[in-house]
Amino acid sequence: MDRTEFFGSQVGGESVISYSYTDMPWKLMMWDVRYFFTFIWALPWVVWPVRPCDGDHFDELSLTRQNIWCMSIHAILIVLQLFFILTLPLVLLFPVWMAAIGLAAFFTVNWFLCLGLNGKTVTFHSDPKYAPALEEHAHEQWIFLNGVAVGEAWLQSNINRLALTFKRPIIGVHNRTTGIIFDVVECLVQRNFGYATSDIRLAYKIVKEKLYNPQYSKVVFILHSQGGIEGGLVLDWLLQELPQDLLSKLEVYTFGNASNHFNNPHRHVGSQQADKTHPKTNTDIPTTITEVPLTDSPVASQSPSWKRRFSNGSTSTFGGHGLPPPSLALTSEESTLSRTTAYSVPASDRAISYVEHYAHTTDFVALWGILHFVTNERASPEMPRYIGRVFRRTSARGGHQFCQHYLNGMFPLARDAHGEFTGCADKNQFMSSIVEVAEKGTEKDDIREGVENSLSMLELAARGGSDIKGGVAVHGSFYGDDEQINDGKVRVKDLSRLWQYRNGRSPPDLHREMHERRMTVE
């Protein structure tokens, strides 16, 4: 039976932990090798299930000419690389010059085979027929960084599928494959030694350029598999160097993330302490909204008074002369508003506006990566920080392939009367599934955000409210589906911000419209 668990983002804190990406690389490698064999039972789910292929030619395992070519080369590479690894100790039995010639011959053959997969292009662009550039999205830039074993054909399919789903042009940064086995070795080196390969450096350059470009008020960074490791390193560099107002443009969404950490600190120690002290309380934002002067910084407008409401009816105030509040800017046709409208707090005052992770419980890469570090049974002191809200799905279709398993299961496509794809289906089983709020993995010292603080910037407009257990109230839905469920349950679509981008739509976006008019609450 399909089910979805939701993990609120870890809060983070001041403790120093031993099993962390900051630990000694040899120790991290030892743990990774151990857990590789712990989760090896899930290895077949890297490609399983091979059917159905609901996405037709977009799916990695559909029997198209390009896919058959890619799978054939990968099969040859697997055999060659396994033979190489098993026979490598025999090198000690031969003279150095013979061993050197043999190694050179092997790596030359491996390089030529991979060239047939990778081609010579490093950056790709989605086909305009799936998502032409529109003026309404001119302020956005979407970037995708692929995972293990992806050549140019699969990367082009990935970004075309994303373009069709979200109706935005996509830039693809090619994490080139050297064969599945060697890609796994590269993953170990990248996440344990922090080594930045050329594609990481290119992705950093591209993301940084887009964030500095005043044309863009939003940069969406989508990562899959090994791309999660590489994207995590890119974020580490960005967090070290970029100003906060540029970082606030960034949104990150990952699928089957293979990384061992994900950083996204709070902007203020006050908001961090509030999340740690009162993780399961609502943050009330007053409904009277007044205009304030424009500024050059998306984080310059601060609300003077934010309140946490507790179950006993009392409140605690953050902001003004107390704790620094999260930033909030609203736009309106009116200079003054006074209405029964409320908004949930975005990202708990984080440096990066939004981070969401999607993972399957039978995906080997996710088990070895994100799920291992998020669902830590041993509790906090020995595990690294993994910031971002996590959707953990158990499904019979829960493999690792980006299009065939993740997008087809979570963002399936709709067809017209002629069987042609038209975009993302507006309803699906995953998004309509009831969320189970997971407790497993909650750290002792650095707790998680409550689900109440994870509701994804929905406008809680009056359509007949329903109280949700735990104190969360949902009064309708931003995306206005015909089927409105008011049964007191939180569903994935109520928490997923990425879902709100489907088919060219946009969530209530406070940062994008600041260039026209800045508003703040008081």
Side-chain angles (χ1 to χ4, degrees), residues 102-120:
L103 290 173
F106 168 79
F107 284 110
T108 299
V109 171
N110 194 88
W111 180 82
F112 271 112
L113 287 171
C114 292
L115 186 61
L117 290 172
N118 292 324
K120 297 181 179 180

Side-chain angles (χ1 to χ4, degrees), residues 118-124 155 172-176 198-199 202 206:
N118 292 324
K120 297 181 179 180
T121 307
V122 182
T123 57
F124 291 75
L155 176 58
V173 180
H174 194 190
N175 165 28
R176 296 185 170 193
S198 59
D199 40 300
L202 177 62
I206 292 174

Side-chain angles (χ1 to χ4, degrees), residues 57-58 66 152-162 403:
H57 62 281
F58 293 116
Q66 285 185 325
E152 61 177 350
W154 283 348
L155 176 58
Q156 190 65 55
S157 291
N158 289 170
I159 60 177
N160 286 343
R161 174 64 160 84
L162 287 170
C403 291

Side-chain angles (χ1 to χ4, degrees), residues 484-502:
Q484 189 64 45
I485 306 173
N486 288 314
D487 58 359
K489 305 289 186 181
V490 177
R491 286 171 164 75
V492 174
K493 66 178 183 178
D494 297 321
L495 296 170
S496 171
R497 180 175 174 85
L498 186 58
W499 172 248
Q500 298 177 31
Y501 284 106
R502 72 196 187 283

Side-chain angles (χ1 to χ4, degrees), residues 153-201:
W154 283 348
L155 176 58
Q156 190 65 55
S157 291
N158 289 170
I159 60 177
N160 286 343
R161 174 64 160 84
L162 287 170
L164 180 61
T165 302
F166 300 107
K167 299 299 183 182
R168 275 105 165 159
I170 311 290
I171 292 177
V173 180
H174 194 190
N175 165 28
R176 296 185 170 193
T177 182
T178 54
I180 294 175
I181 294 175
F182 283 5
D183 282 354
V184 171
V185 174
E186 186 180 59
C187 285
L188 291 171
V189 172
Q190 287 174 335
R191 84 176 195 172
N192 295 324
F193 291 84
Y195 177 69
T197 49
S198 59
D199 40 300
I200 295 176
R201 299 173 190 273

Side-chain angles (χ1 to χ4, degrees), residues 223-226 254-258 358-360 363 365-366 370 400 406:
L223 313 170
H224 174 238
S225 183
Q226 184 186 7
T254 80
F255 295 84
N257 196 332
Y358 298 81
H360 287 139
D363 174 5
V365 177
I370 179 173
H400 179 66
Y406 276 106

Side-chain angles (χ1 to χ4, degrees), residues 313-362:
S314 63
T315 60
S316 178
T317 302
F318 306 97
H321 299 289
L323 298 176
S327 63
L328 183 67
L330 303 175
T331 64
S332 174
E333 297 294 331
E334 304 170 2
S335 60
T336 304
L337 298 178
S338 180
R339 57 181 182 179
T340 55
T341 302
Y343 293 86
S344 61
V345 178
S348 294
D349 192 33
R350 297 282 188 179
I352 298 170
S353 297
Y354 301 93
V355 179
E356 291 179 355
H357 306 285
Y358 298 81
H360 287 139
T361 56
T362 49

